[in-house]
Amino acid sequence: MTPDTPGPLAEATPISPTATPAEATAEGGSLLAAVELRKRFGATTALDGASLRVAAGEIVALMGPSGSGKSTLLHCLAGIFPPDAGEVRYGDRSLSRMSETARSALRRGEFGFVFQFGQLVPELTCAENVALPLRLSGVRRREAQRRAVGELERLAVADVARKRPGEVSGGQGQRVAVARALVTQPKVIFADEPTGALDSLNGEQVMRLLTEAARASRAAVVLVTHDARVAAYSDREVVVRDGRTRTFG
Amino acid sequence: MPCIVAVMSIGHALLGLLESGPRHGYDLKRSYDERFGQDRPLHYGQVYATLSRLLKGGLVEVDGVTPGDGPERKRYAITTAGVTDVERWLAAPEKPELYLQSTLYTKLVIALLTGRPAADVLDRQRAEHLNTMRALTRRKATGDLADQLVCDHALFHLEADLRFLELAAARLDALARTVTEARP
């Protein structure tokens, strides 16, 4: 057992400023890295020196008891929460040093998100929900719709393309949410309790589809879960306890 | 790898397989292995010893003998008493295992008593359990429905163990106090 301390990234091999994150991975060894992250919410310490490295194509499960800081770690890794101290690096870029606009562009273009309750837009059809991140990135409506339907087909829910989220089952809705996360062909997928609201069978199907699709496109997955059967789809687990990380294996 | 047949009655399983029609010992073994014995196939000795016991108990009978180059091959059929025995077996629920003599719990207490890091015992065990669960999850991806159910059975048991590990981790300080106060 060793703390998951990636070491000082400042000492990592220098990377060309023009390198894409994938190229940076090849040189630096990890696609995404958190170094000694600290984060407080008022009097509560959520992260207390958490560190983590995720390689391209790797599926990592963040596990730990409720309130341990695993969701906060995911939000910091995704650039949603800025840490109070420490650094998050994506390839050769430091998220902490990026503007919020640049971080938003990164989240839209290279990251995908799946949350416990899907968080689909209720007024849009399922296909429009999946197409949404493409539209926000400037893809034309017809092309975005074509790709969205293709993704829904891949996840075996093409039949709900014209339905609204309120008209589909929880399992179907979560597959739509996975399709939305995958449609931009992200380099990293962040999944926070993606099967938390589903029964065992639907949860398994969602995890199988999510991990198969991620492996096929060599996307990394950072998966927050308290469910060991969900974590069993990962390549390795990192335990978060009292805001610190420990890794095994 | 966990295996549900480890605790299964081989005799009853063979009787159940014979209900669909008489078979030779070799065919029975093959059928058993296909359905239940992926991790633990039967030895021929086990099959013939079990059939011999069932024969003696009147639960099967020899339905015919096929002569060959080697030893004669007996074909076995289930008797009415055998069918009744299978019915009785299916009707009786299995006694749930209570795991009250868990080696893991013993390790935990010994670690606390001897001042070793008990949290490490739990963490290492969690990693080991998850590795086994990963192997079963991979196996499920390629297995048929029967194999998937066998794996699911094992996965749910491992998950229960992991929930115990989490609970034990949350109560480690309290357990340490209890264990050390009770030290003779």
PDB file of all heavy atoms in Angstrom, chain A residues 1 63 65 200 204 227-229 231-237 239 241 246 248, chain B residues 119-120 123-124 126-127 130 133-134 137 140 152 155-156 159 162 166 169:
ATOM      1  N   MET A   1       0.845  -1.191   0.000  1.00  0.00           N
ATOM      2  CA  MET A   1       0.000   0.000   0.000  1.00  0.00           C
ATOM      3  C   MET A   1       0.883   1.244   0.000  1.00  0.00           C
ATOM      4  O   MET A   1       1.799   1.368   0.777  1.00  0.00           O
ATOM      5  CB  MET A   1      -0.855  -0.076   1.250  1.00  0.00           C
ATOM      6  CG  MET A   1      -1.678   1.130   1.479  1.00  0.00           C
ATOM      7  SD  MET A   1      -2.670   0.850   2.940  1.00  0.00           S
ATOM      8  CE  MET A   1      -1.495   0.133   4.022  1.00  0.00           C
ATOM      9  N   MET A  63     -13.121   5.521  -4.409  1.00  0.00           N
ATOM     10  CA  MET A  63     -14.027   4.928  -3.425  1.00  0.00           C
ATOM     11  C   MET A  63     -13.784   5.549  -2.059  1.00  0.00           C
ATOM     12  O   MET A  63     -12.727   6.139  -1.825  1.00  0.00           O
ATOM     13  CB  MET A  63     -13.795   3.418  -3.352  1.00  0.00           C
ATOM     14  CG  MET A  63     -14.001   2.704  -4.666  1.00  0.00           C
ATOM     15  SD  MET A  63     -13.908   0.924  -4.461  1.00  0.00           S
ATOM     16  CE  MET A  63     -15.506   0.607  -3.692  1.00  0.00           C
ATOM     17  N   PRO A  65     -15.925   6.307   2.098  1.00  0.00           N
ATOM     18  CA  PRO A  65     -17.200   6.553   2.775  1.00  0.00           C
ATOM     19  C   PRO A  65     -17.798   7.903   2.388  1.00  0.00           C
ATOM     20  O   PRO A  65     -17.114   8.760   1.826  1.00  0.00           O
ATOM     21  CB  PRO A  65     -16.835   6.506   4.261  1.00  0.00           C
ATOM     22  CG  PRO A  65     -15.353   6.662   4.327  1.00  0.00           C
ATOM     23  CD  PRO A  65     -14.789   6.223   3.024  1.00  0.00           C
ATOM     24  N   SER A 200     -29.908  -3.088  -9.940  1.00  0.00           N
ATOM     25  CA  SER A 200     -28.664  -3.821 -10.246  1.00  0.00           C
ATOM     26  C   SER A 200     -28.484  -4.078 -11.740  1.00  0.00           C
ATOM     27  O   SER A 200     -27.412  -3.835 -12.293  1.00  0.00           O
ATOM     28  CB  SER A 200     -28.659  -5.169  -9.528  1.00  0.00           C
ATOM     29  OG  SER A 200     -28.505  -4.968  -8.157  1.00  0.00           O
ATOM     30  N   GLU A 204     -25.663  -2.432 -14.128  1.00  0.00           N
ATOM     31  CA  GLU A 204     -24.644  -3.235 -14.804  1.00  0.00           C
ATOM     32  C   GLU A 204     -24.571  -2.898 -16.286  1.00  0.00           C
ATOM     33  O   GLU A 204     -23.487  -2.793 -16.861  1.00  0.00           O
ATOM     34  CB  GLU A 204     -25.004  -4.718 -14.673  1.00  0.00           C
ATOM     35  CG  GLU A 204     -24.973  -5.181 -13.257  1.00  0.00           C
ATOM     36  CD  GLU A 204     -24.042  -6.333 -13.069  1.00  0.00           C
ATOM     37  OE1 GLU A 204     -23.707  -6.974 -14.065  1.00  0.00           O
ATOM     38  OE2 GLU A 204     -23.636  -6.556 -11.931  1.00  0.00           O
ATOM     39  N   ASP A 227     -20.131   1.765  -4.636  1.00  0.00           N
ATOM     40  CA  ASP A 227     -20.620   0.426  -4.964  1.00  0.00           C
ATOM     41  C   ASP A 227     -19.466  -0.422  -5.503  1.00  0.00           C
ATOM     42  O   ASP A 227     -18.924  -0.156  -6.573  1.00  0.00           O
ATOM     43  CB  ASP A 227     -21.724   0.581  -6.021  1.00  0.00           C
ATOM     44  CG  ASP A 227     -22.379  -0.739  -6.361  1.00  0.00           C
ATOM     45  OD1 ASP A 227     -21.762  -1.788  -6.125  1.00  0.00           O
ATOM     46  OD2 ASP A 227     -23.509  -0.712  -6.880  1.00  0.00           O
ATOM     47  N   ALA A 228     -19.116  -1.467  -4.774  1.00  0.00           N
ATOM     48  CA  ALA A 228     -17.979  -2.299  -5.176  1.00  0.00           C
ATOM     49  C   ALA A 228     -18.217  -2.984  -6.519  1.00  0.00           C
ATOM     50  O   ALA A 228     -17.281  -3.208  -7.285  1.00  0.00           O
ATOM     51  CB  ALA A 228     -17.715  -3.359  -4.097  1.00  0.00           C
ATOM     52  N   ARG A 229     -19.481  -3.311  -6.820  1.00  0.00           N
ATOM     53  CA  ARG A 229     -19.751  -3.995  -8.093  1.00  0.00           C
ATOM     54  C   ARG A 229     -19.547  -3.037  -9.269  1.00  0.00           C
ATOM     55  O   ARG A 229     -19.212  -3.458 -10.371  1.00  0.00           O
ATOM     56  CB  ARG A 229     -21.160  -4.583  -8.096  1.00  0.00           C
ATOM     57  CG  ARG A 229     -21.303  -5.622  -6.979  1.00  0.00           C
ATOM     58  CD  ARG A 229     -22.671  -6.226  -6.947  1.00  0.00           C
ATOM     59  NE  ARG A 229     -22.827  -7.178  -8.011  1.00  0.00           N
ATOM     60  CZ  ARG A 229     -23.883  -7.262  -8.821  1.00  0.00           C
ATOM     61  NH1 ARG A 229     -24.867  -6.412  -8.680  1.00  0.00           N
ATOM     62  NH2 ARG A 229     -23.938  -8.175  -9.748  1.00  0.00           N
ATOM     63  N   ALA A 231     -17.292  -0.487  -9.009  1.00  0.00           N
ATOM     64  CA  ALA A 231     -15.827  -0.308  -9.000  1.00  0.00           C
ATOM     65  C   ALA A 231     -15.114  -1.472  -9.682  1.00  0.00           C
ATOM     66  O   ALA A 231     -13.999  -1.316 -10.189  1.00  0.00           O
ATOM     67  CB  ALA A 231     -15.329  -0.157  -7.564  1.00  0.00           C
ATOM     68  N   ALA A 232     -15.757  -2.635  -9.720  1.00  0.00           N
ATOM     69  CA  ALA A 232     -15.134  -3.812 -10.342  1.00  0.00           C
ATOM     70  C   ALA A 232     -14.979  -3.645 -11.856  1.00  0.00           C
ATOM     71  O   ALA A 232     -14.291  -4.417 -12.497  1.00  0.00           O
ATOM     72  CB  ALA A 232     -15.939  -5.060 -10.024  1.00  0.00           C
ATOM     73  N   TYR A 233     -15.607  -2.634 -12.424  1.00  0.00           N
ATOM     74  CA  TYR A 233     -15.414  -2.352 -13.850  1.00  0.00           C
ATOM     75  C   TYR A 233     -14.164  -1.503 -14.093  1.00  0.00           C
ATOM     76  O   TYR A 233     -13.798  -1.244 -15.231  1.00  0.00           O
ATOM     77  CB  TYR A 233     -16.635  -1.614 -14.425  1.00  0.00           C
ATOM     78  CG  TYR A 233     -17.807  -2.525 -14.675  1.00  0.00           C
ATOM     79  CD1 TYR A 233     -18.727  -2.803 -13.678  1.00  0.00           C
ATOM     80  CD2 TYR A 233     -17.990  -3.150 -15.905  1.00  0.00           C
ATOM     81  CE1 TYR A 233     -19.801  -3.651 -13.890  1.00  0.00           C
ATOM     82  CE2 TYR A 233     -19.054  -3.996 -16.137  1.00  0.00           C
ATOM     83  CZ  TYR A 233     -19.957  -4.242 -15.127  1.00  0.00           C
ATOM     84  OH  TYR A 233     -21.006  -5.094 -15.352  1.00  0.00           O
ATOM     85  N   SER A 234     -13.524  -1.061 -13.015  1.00  0.00           N
ATOM     86  CA  SER A 234     -12.358  -0.185 -13.168  1.00  0.00           C
ATOM     87  C   SER A 234     -11.077  -1.007 -13.301  1.00  0.00           C
ATOM     88  O   SER A 234     -11.064  -2.219 -13.077  1.00  0.00           O
ATOM     89  CB  SER A 234     -12.237   0.729 -11.942  1.00  0.00           C
ATOM     90  OG  SER A 234     -11.884  -0.044 -10.798  1.00  0.00           O
ATOM     91  N   ASP A 235      -9.995  -0.327 -13.665  1.00  0.00           N
ATOM     92  CA  ASP A 235      -8.680  -0.987 -13.706  1.00  0.00           C
ATOM     93  C   ASP A 235      -8.040  -0.990 -12.327  1.00  0.00           C
ATOM     94  O   ASP A 235      -7.275  -1.868 -11.994  1.00  0.00           O
ATOM     95  CB  ASP A 235      -7.752  -0.259 -14.687  1.00  0.00           C
ATOM     96  CG  ASP A 235      -8.301  -0.302 -16.099  1.00  0.00           C
ATOM     97  OD1 ASP A 235      -8.799  -1.370 -16.499  1.00  0.00           O
ATOM     98  OD2 ASP A 235      -8.255   0.729 -16.786  1.00  0.00           O
ATOM     99  N   ARG A 236      -8.323   0.038 -11.546  1.00  0.00           N
ATOM    100  CA  ARG A 236      -7.787   0.101 -10.188  1.00  0.00           C
ATOM    101  C   ARG A 236      -8.638   1.074  -9.380  1.00  0.00           C
ATOM    102  O   ARG A 236      -9.358   1.902  -9.947  1.00  0.00           O
ATOM    103  CB  ARG A 236      -6.318   0.542 -10.166  1.00  0.00           C
ATOM    104  CG  ARG A 236      -6.074   1.962 -10.593  1.00  0.00           C
ATOM    105  CD  ARG A 236      -4.594   2.286 -10.622  1.00  0.00           C
ATOM    106  NE  ARG A 236      -4.365   3.563 -11.243  1.00  0.00           N
ATOM    107  CZ  ARG A 236      -4.172   4.702 -10.586  1.00  0.00           C
ATOM    108  NH1 ARG A 236      -4.175   4.707  -9.274  1.00  0.00           N
ATOM    109  NH2 ARG A 236      -3.972   5.829 -11.235  1.00  0.00           N
ATOM    110  N   GLU A 237      -8.528   0.922  -8.065  1.00  0.00           N
ATOM    111  CA  GLU A 237      -9.296   1.808  -7.214  1.00  0.00           C
ATOM    112  C   GLU A 237      -8.358   2.684  -6.403  1.00  0.00           C
ATOM    113  O   GLU A 237      -7.238   2.301  -6.077  1.00  0.00           O
ATOM    114  CB  GLU A 237     -10.226   1.029  -6.271  1.00  0.00           C
ATOM    115  CG  GLU A 237      -9.561   0.334  -5.105  1.00  0.00           C
ATOM    116  CD  GLU A 237      -8.926  -0.987  -5.481  1.00  0.00           C
ATOM    117  OE1 GLU A 237      -8.873  -1.305  -6.675  1.00  0.00           O
ATOM    118  OE2 GLU A 237      -8.442  -1.692  -4.565  1.00  0.00           O
ATOM    119  N   VAL A 239      -8.661   4.823  -2.838  1.00  0.00           N
ATOM    120  CA  VAL A 239      -9.544   5.054  -1.697  1.00  0.00           C
ATOM    121  C   VAL A 239      -9.326   6.471  -1.179  1.00  0.00           C
ATOM    122  O   VAL A 239      -8.184   6.894  -0.979  1.00  0.00           O
ATOM    123  CB  VAL A 239      -9.270   4.017  -0.585  1.00  0.00           C
ATOM    124  CG1 VAL A 239     -10.134   4.311   0.642  1.00  0.00           C
ATOM    125  CG2 VAL A 239      -9.568   2.612  -1.098  1.00  0.00           C
ATOM    126  N   ARG A 241     -10.094   8.928   1.898  1.00  0.00           N
ATOM    127  CA  ARG A 241     -10.551   8.908   3.289  1.00  0.00           C
ATOM    128  C   ARG A 241     -10.044  10.177   3.965  1.00  0.00           C
ATOM    129  O   ARG A 241      -8.863  10.497   3.862  1.00  0.00           O
ATOM    130  CB  ARG A 241     -10.021   7.650   3.994  1.00  0.00           C
ATOM    131  CG  ARG A 241     -10.655   7.434   5.351  1.00  0.00           C
ATOM    132  CD  ARG A 241     -10.292   6.097   5.932  1.00  0.00           C
ATOM    133  NE  ARG A 241     -10.909   5.012   5.204  1.00  0.00           N
ATOM    134  CZ  ARG A 241     -10.315   3.862   4.911  1.00  0.00           C
ATOM    135  NH1 ARG A 241      -9.093   3.653   5.296  1.00  0.00           N
ATOM    136  NH2 ARG A 241     -10.947   2.933   4.248  1.00  0.00           N
ATOM    137  N   ARG A 246      -5.431   7.042  -1.058  1.00  0.00           N
ATOM    138  CA  ARG A 246      -4.549   5.889  -0.902  1.00  0.00           C
ATOM    139  C   ARG A 246      -4.845   4.957  -2.067  1.00  0.00           C
ATOM    140  O   ARG A 246      -5.994   4.788  -2.462  1.00  0.00           O
ATOM    141  CB  ARG A 246      -4.819   5.152   0.412  1.00  0.00           C
ATOM    142  CG  ARG A 246      -4.634   6.011   1.630  1.00  0.00           C
ATOM    143  CD  ARG A 246      -4.812   5.197   2.865  1.00  0.00           C
ATOM    144  NE  ARG A 246      -3.527   4.780   3.404  1.00  0.00           N
ATOM    145  CZ  ARG A 246      -3.380   3.983   4.445  1.00  0.00           C
ATOM    146  NH1 ARG A 246      -4.412   3.455   5.024  1.00  0.00           N
ATOM    147  NH2 ARG A 246      -2.195   3.667   4.893  1.00  0.00           N
ATOM    148  N   PHE A 248      -3.775   1.118  -4.138  1.00  0.00           N
ATOM    149  CA  PHE A 248      -3.341  -0.255  -3.860  1.00  0.00           C
ATOM    150  C   PHE A 248      -3.012  -0.958  -5.159  1.00  0.00           C
ATOM    151  O   PHE A 248      -3.403  -0.548  -6.210  1.00  0.00           O
ATOM    152  CB  PHE A 248      -4.455  -1.019  -3.138  1.00  0.00           C
ATOM    153  CG  PHE A 248      -4.915  -0.306  -1.914  1.00  0.00           C
ATOM    154  CD1 PHE A 248      -5.957   0.592  -1.988  1.00  0.00           C
ATOM    155  CD2 PHE A 248      -4.284  -0.493  -0.717  1.00  0.00           C
ATOM    156  CE1 PHE A 248      -6.368   1.288  -0.870  1.00  0.00           C
ATOM    157  CE2 PHE A 248      -4.683   0.191   0.406  1.00  0.00           C
ATOM    158  CZ  PHE A 248      -5.734   1.081   0.325  1.00  0.00           C
TER     159      PHE A 248
ATOM    160  N   ALA B 119      -6.038  -0.966  10.100  1.00  0.00           N
ATOM    161  CA  ALA B 119      -6.612  -0.354   8.883  1.00  0.00           C
ATOM    162  C   ALA B 119      -5.937  -0.929   7.639  1.00  0.00           C
ATOM    163  O   ALA B 119      -6.577  -1.086   6.597  1.00  0.00           O
ATOM    164  CB  ALA B 119      -6.438   1.157   8.928  1.00  0.00           C
ATOM    165  N   ASP B 120      -4.640  -1.247   7.761  1.00  0.00           N
ATOM    166  CA  ASP B 120      -3.941  -1.829   6.613  1.00  0.00           C
ATOM    167  C   ASP B 120      -4.491  -3.214   6.274  1.00  0.00           C
ATOM    168  O   ASP B 120      -4.546  -3.607   5.106  1.00  0.00           O
ATOM    169  CB  ASP B 120      -2.435  -1.935   6.898  1.00  0.00           C
ATOM    170  CG  ASP B 120      -1.767  -0.563   6.857  1.00  0.00           C
ATOM    171  OD1 ASP B 120      -2.489   0.427   6.635  1.00  0.00           O
ATOM    172  OD2 ASP B 120      -0.537  -0.498   7.050  1.00  0.00           O
ATOM    173  N   ASP B 123      -7.570  -2.494   4.350  1.00  0.00           N
ATOM    174  CA  ASP B 123      -7.279  -1.936   3.017  1.00  0.00           C
ATOM    175  C   ASP B 123      -6.742  -3.011   2.064  1.00  0.00           C
ATOM    176  O   ASP B 123      -7.123  -3.066   0.901  1.00  0.00           O
ATOM    177  CB  ASP B 123      -6.266  -0.793   3.141  1.00  0.00           C
ATOM    178  CG  ASP B 123      -6.913   0.475   3.692  1.00  0.00           C
ATOM    179  OD1 ASP B 123      -8.151   0.560   3.647  1.00  0.00           O
ATOM    180  OD2 ASP B 123      -6.181   1.353   4.173  1.00  0.00           O
ATOM    181  N   ARG B 124      -5.846  -3.843   2.579  1.00  0.00           N
ATOM    182  CA  ARG B 124      -5.299  -4.909   1.716  1.00  0.00           C
ATOM    183  C   ARG B 124      -6.401  -5.881   1.313  1.00  0.00           C
ATOM    184  O   ARG B 124      -6.441  -6.362   0.194  1.00  0.00           O
ATOM    185  CB  ARG B 124      -4.165  -5.634   2.431  1.00  0.00           C
ATOM    186  CG  ARG B 124      -2.811  -4.944   2.269  1.00  0.00           C
ATOM    187  CD  ARG B 124      -1.687  -5.849   2.713  1.00  0.00           C
ATOM    188  NE  ARG B 124      -1.680  -6.004   4.152  1.00  0.00           N
ATOM    189  CZ  ARG B 124      -0.982  -5.243   4.986  1.00  0.00           C
ATOM    190  NH1 ARG B 124      -0.225  -4.286   4.522  1.00  0.00           N
ATOM    191  NH2 ARG B 124      -1.024  -5.449   6.281  1.00  0.00           N
ATOM    192  N   ARG B 126      -9.598  -5.214   1.057  1.00  0.00           N
ATOM    193  CA  ARG B 126     -10.465  -4.565   0.090  1.00  0.00           C
ATOM    194  C   ARG B 126      -9.874  -4.682  -1.315  1.00  0.00           C
ATOM    195  O   ARG B 126     -10.565  -5.031  -2.269  1.00  0.00           O
ATOM    196  CB  ARG B 126     -10.670  -3.093   0.436  1.00  0.00           C
ATOM    197  CG  ARG B 126     -11.578  -2.395  -0.578  1.00  0.00           C
ATOM    198  CD  ARG B 126     -11.563  -0.893  -0.490  1.00  0.00           C
ATOM    199  NE  ARG B 126     -12.030  -0.405   0.782  1.00  0.00           N
ATOM    200  CZ  ARG B 126     -11.228   0.049   1.750  1.00  0.00           C
ATOM    201  NH1 ARG B 126      -9.912   0.077   1.555  1.00  0.00           N
ATOM    202  NH2 ARG B 126     -11.710   0.479   2.864  1.00  0.00           N
ATOM    203  N   ALA B 127      -8.574  -4.416  -1.414  1.00  0.00           N
ATOM    204  CA  ALA B 127      -7.914  -4.494  -2.729  1.00  0.00           C
ATOM    205  C   ALA B 127      -7.999  -5.916  -3.279  1.00  0.00           C
ATOM    206  O   ALA B 127      -8.259  -6.115  -4.474  1.00  0.00           O
ATOM    207  CB  ALA B 127      -6.465  -4.044  -2.600  1.00  0.00           C
ATOM    208  N   LEU B 130     -11.534  -6.623  -4.443  1.00  0.00           N
ATOM    209  CA  LEU B 130     -11.854  -5.929  -5.693  1.00  0.00           C
ATOM    210  C   LEU B 130     -11.155  -6.563  -6.887  1.00  0.00           C
ATOM    211  O   LEU B 130     -11.710  -6.616  -7.977  1.00  0.00           O
ATOM    212  CB  LEU B 130     -11.502  -4.444  -5.577  1.00  0.00           C
ATOM    213  CG  LEU B 130     -12.640  -3.602  -5.005  1.00  0.00           C
ATOM    214  CD1 LEU B 130     -12.155  -2.218  -4.646  1.00  0.00           C
ATOM    215  CD2 LEU B 130     -13.796  -3.491  -6.001  1.00  0.00           C
ATOM    216  N   MET B 133     -13.241  -9.396  -7.763  1.00  0.00           N
ATOM    217  CA  MET B 133     -14.474  -8.920  -8.392  1.00  0.00           C
ATOM    218  C   MET B 133     -14.222  -8.469  -9.835  1.00  0.00           C
ATOM    219  O   MET B 133     -15.071  -8.670 -10.706  1.00  0.00           O
ATOM    220  CB  MET B 133     -15.070  -7.768  -7.574  1.00  0.00           C
ATOM    221  CG  MET B 133     -15.631  -8.247  -6.238  1.00  0.00           C
ATOM    222  SD  MET B 133     -16.357  -6.921  -5.243  1.00  0.00           S
ATOM    223  CE  MET B 133     -17.938  -6.690  -6.059  1.00  0.00           C
ATOM    224  N   ARG B 134     -13.049  -7.890 -10.086  1.00  0.00           N
ATOM    225  CA  ARG B 134     -12.720  -7.493 -11.467  1.00  0.00           C
ATOM    226  C   ARG B 134     -12.638  -8.731 -12.370  1.00  0.00           C
ATOM    227  O   ARG B 134     -13.127  -8.730 -13.487  1.00  0.00           O
ATOM    228  CB  ARG B 134     -11.384  -6.761 -11.511  1.00  0.00           C
ATOM    229  CG  ARG B 134     -11.485  -5.351 -11.061  1.00  0.00           C
ATOM    230  CD  ARG B 134     -10.224  -4.564 -11.388  1.00  0.00           C
ATOM    231  NE  ARG B 134     -10.358  -3.283 -10.740  1.00  0.00           N
ATOM    232  CZ  ARG B 134      -9.836  -2.990  -9.554  1.00  0.00           C
ATOM    233  NH1 ARG B 134      -9.082  -3.855  -8.924  1.00  0.00           N
ATOM    234  NH2 ARG B 134     -10.053  -1.825  -9.013  1.00  0.00           N
ATOM    235  N   THR B 137     -16.054  -9.926 -13.068  1.00  0.00           N
ATOM    236  CA  THR B 137     -16.755  -8.997 -13.968  1.00  0.00           C
ATOM    237  C   THR B 137     -16.291  -9.210 -15.411  1.00  0.00           C
ATOM    238  O   THR B 137     -17.087  -9.186 -16.346  1.00  0.00           O
ATOM    239  CB  THR B 137     -16.519  -7.546 -13.513  1.00  0.00           C
ATOM    240  OG1 THR B 137     -16.975  -7.422 -12.160  1.00  0.00           O
ATOM    241  CG2 THR B 137     -17.266  -6.547 -14.372  1.00  0.00           C
ATOM    242  N   LYS B 140     -17.816 -12.389 -16.676  1.00  0.00           N
ATOM    243  CA  LYS B 140     -19.224 -12.211 -17.017  1.00  0.00           C
ATOM    244  C   LYS B 140     -19.402 -11.684 -18.435  1.00  0.00           C
ATOM    245  O   LYS B 140     -20.366 -12.017 -19.109  1.00  0.00           O
ATOM    246  CB  LYS B 140     -19.861 -11.201 -16.056  1.00  0.00           C
ATOM    247  CG  LYS B 140     -20.461 -11.822 -14.841  1.00  0.00           C
ATOM    248  CD  LYS B 140     -20.999 -10.763 -13.927  1.00  0.00           C
ATOM    249  CE  LYS B 140     -22.155 -10.015 -14.516  1.00  0.00           C
ATOM    250  NZ  LYS B 140     -22.705  -9.033 -13.558  1.00  0.00           N
ATOM    251  N   ASP B 152     -22.456 -13.601 -10.722  1.00  0.00           N
ATOM    252  CA  ASP B 152     -23.227 -12.635  -9.933  1.00  0.00           C
ATOM    253  C   ASP B 152     -23.371 -13.098  -8.487  1.00  0.00           C
ATOM    254  O   ASP B 152     -23.275 -12.300  -7.564  1.00  0.00           O
ATOM    255  CB  ASP B 152     -24.621 -12.430 -10.550  1.00  0.00           C
ATOM    256  CG  ASP B 152     -24.588 -11.397 -11.653  1.00  0.00           C
ATOM    257  OD1 ASP B 152     -23.754 -10.478 -11.571  1.00  0.00           O
ATOM    258  OD2 ASP B 152     -25.375 -11.507 -12.611  1.00  0.00           O
ATOM    259  N   LEU B 155     -20.227 -12.389  -6.885  1.00  0.00           N
ATOM    260  CA  LEU B 155     -20.015 -10.938  -6.767  1.00  0.00           C
ATOM    261  C   LEU B 155     -20.831 -10.342  -5.623  1.00  0.00           C
ATOM    262  O   LEU B 155     -20.334  -9.495  -4.878  1.00  0.00           O
ATOM    263  CB  LEU B 155     -20.386 -10.243  -8.084  1.00  0.00           C
ATOM    264  CG  LEU B 155     -19.332 -10.323  -9.180  1.00  0.00           C
ATOM    265  CD1 LEU B 155     -19.917  -9.964 -10.537  1.00  0.00           C
ATOM    266  CD2 LEU B 155     -18.161  -9.381  -8.865  1.00  0.00           C
ATOM    267  N   PHE B 156     -22.072 -10.797  -5.471  1.00  0.00           N
ATOM    268  CA  PHE B 156     -22.898 -10.257  -4.382  1.00  0.00           C
ATOM    269  C   PHE B 156     -22.311 -10.633  -3.016  1.00  0.00           C
ATOM    270  O   PHE B 156     -22.360  -9.841  -2.077  1.00  0.00           O
ATOM    271  CB  PHE B 156     -24.343 -10.749  -4.510  1.00  0.00           C
ATOM    272  CG  PHE B 156     -25.157  -9.923  -5.475  1.00  0.00           C
ATOM    273  CD1 PHE B 156     -25.682 -10.473  -6.633  1.00  0.00           C
ATOM    274  CD2 PHE B 156     -25.395  -8.580  -5.219  1.00  0.00           C
ATOM    275  CE1 PHE B 156     -26.420  -9.715  -7.522  1.00  0.00           C
ATOM    276  CE2 PHE B 156     -26.139  -7.805  -6.104  1.00  0.00           C
ATOM    277  CZ  PHE B 156     -26.648  -8.374  -7.259  1.00  0.00           C
ATOM    278  N   GLU B 159     -19.337  -8.440  -2.468  1.00  0.00           N
ATOM    279  CA  GLU B 159     -19.806  -7.090  -2.156  1.00  0.00           C
ATOM    280  C   GLU B 159     -20.226  -6.992  -0.692  1.00  0.00           C
ATOM    281  O   GLU B 159     -19.934  -6.000  -0.014  1.00  0.00           O
ATOM    282  CB  GLU B 159     -20.985  -6.733  -3.065  1.00  0.00           C
ATOM    283  CG  GLU B 159     -21.468  -5.316  -2.874  1.00  0.00           C
ATOM    284  CD  GLU B 159     -22.782  -5.047  -3.580  1.00  0.00           C
ATOM    285  OE1 GLU B 159     -23.508  -6.000  -3.899  1.00  0.00           O
ATOM    286  OE2 GLU B 159     -23.085  -3.871  -3.804  1.00  0.00           O
ATOM    287  N   LEU B 162     -17.266  -6.628   1.358  1.00  0.00           N
ATOM    288  CA  LEU B 162     -16.703  -5.281   1.262  1.00  0.00           C
ATOM    289  C   LEU B 162     -17.494  -4.282   2.107  1.00  0.00           C
ATOM    290  O   LEU B 162     -16.922  -3.359   2.687  1.00  0.00           O
ATOM    291  CB  LEU B 162     -16.661  -4.820  -0.195  1.00  0.00           C
ATOM    292  CG  LEU B 162     -15.459  -5.362  -0.955  1.00  0.00           C
ATOM    293  CD1 LEU B 162     -15.631  -5.169  -2.449  1.00  0.00           C
ATOM    294  CD2 LEU B 162     -14.191  -4.655  -0.500  1.00  0.00           C
ATOM    295  N   GLU B 166     -16.024  -1.870   5.058  1.00  0.00           N
ATOM    296  CA  GLU B 166     -16.251  -0.428   5.236  1.00  0.00           C
ATOM    297  C   GLU B 166     -16.774  -0.131   6.640  1.00  0.00           C
ATOM    298  O   GLU B 166     -16.348   0.823   7.289  1.00  0.00           O
ATOM    299  CB  GLU B 166     -17.249   0.094   4.186  1.00  0.00           C
ATOM    300  CG  GLU B 166     -16.695   0.171   2.779  1.00  0.00           C
ATOM    301  CD  GLU B 166     -15.386   0.950   2.701  1.00  0.00           C
ATOM    302  OE1 GLU B 166     -15.216   1.950   3.422  1.00  0.00           O
ATOM    303  OE2 GLU B 166     -14.510   0.538   1.918  1.00  0.00           O
ATOM    304  N   ALA B 169     -14.029  -0.541   9.088  1.00  0.00           N
ATOM    305  CA  ALA B 169     -13.097   0.597   9.024  1.00  0.00           C
ATOM    306  C   ALA B 169     -13.666   1.786   9.790  1.00  0.00           C
ATOM    307  O   ALA B 169     -12.954   2.481  10.518  1.00  0.00           O
ATOM    308  CB  ALA B 169     -12.832   0.969   7.566  1.00  0.00           C
TER     309      ALA B 169
END
